[in-house]
Amino acid sequence: MARVKSEWAAKVFALVKSGNVAAAVAQIKVAPTVADVTRLQGLLATLAPSPAQKQLDKVVAEELALLAAPRLHRSP
C-alpha cells in the first residue's frame, strides 16, 4: 500500500495564506520531518515576495538546518 504524504505542509501553507504568520512560525518550529519542511519550502516559493515571506524563509532555513544536523545525546 502506498504511503500517503503528510498534509502538514499544506496546512501550514494555509496558515500563511490566511495571514497568520505567527501560527505558521510556531508550527514550523515543531515540524515533523525534513521532507515536510522541504515540501513547505516549495509551497512558499510560489508566494509573492513580502517581509513576512522573508521571515518565513529564514525560519524554514533554520529549521532545515536543525533537523538535518546530527542529534547530540549521551548514552545511558
Side-chain angles (χ1 to χ4, degrees):
M1 180 178 219
R3 184 175 168 184
V4 178
K5 289 185 181 180
S6 174
E7 294 179 7
W8 179 85
K11 290 179 181 180
V12 175
F13 186 64
L15 284 172
V16 172
K17 286 178 60 175
S18 70
N20 198 347
V21 177
V25 168
Q27 284 297 311
I28 293 168
K29 290 189 182 278
V30 295
T33 65
V34 174
D36 289 327
V37 178
T38 305
R39 233 178 275 123
L40 176 63
Q41 191 175 35
L43 291 171
L44 290 174
T46 63
L47 293 176
S50 69
Q53 174 70 20
K54 289 180 184 179
Q55 177 191 8
L56 287 170
D57 288 340
K58 181 180 175 186
V59 171
V60 166
E62 289 172 357
E63 191 61 29
L64 280 172
L66 287 172
L67 286 172
R71 304 285 187 224
L72 299 177
H73 58 82
R74 289 187 266 166
S75 61

